[in-house]
Amino acid sequence: MLFDRPIPIPMVDDLVHTDHAPFCSDPTCPCHEESVALDTVATMVEDGLLTPDEATRFVQGRQL
Ligand SMILES: [Zn+2]
């Protein structure tokens, strides 16, 4: 009821999260559930800039 997941960490680390790389490699970081960033990736797939597989790796913070 109180905390069923780690305490959210504000996305203040601009060195990790940028417009070009909104997702870091830390799987526990809330950026991987950031809806705005996910929408951006979805748009990139629609525009043909990323394949769905690349988008998945991108969201997971892996190299393309
Ligand atoms: Zn992150």
Side-chain angles (χ1 to χ4, degrees):
M1 187 71 181
L2 294 177
F3 294 107
D4 61 356
R5 55 184 295 168
I7 298 173
I9 301 170
M11 292 179 62
V12 296
D13 189 350
D14 290 332
L15 292 177
V16 173
H17 306 108
T18 68
D19 288 342
H20 292 290
F23 305 106
C24 64
S25 59
D26 182 352
T28 65
C29 182
C31 70
H32 302 288
E33 298 178 8
E34 172 55 52
S35 62
V36 174
L38 290 175
D39 284 348
T40 298
V41 172
T43 299
M44 291 172 73
V45 173
E46 290 176 2
D47 290 346
L49 298 176
L50 290 175
T51 67
D53 283 347
E54 287 174 337
T56 299
R57 291 197 292 272
F58 188 49
V59 172
Q60 291 174 341
R62 301 178 190 172
Q63 295 295 321
L64 295 177

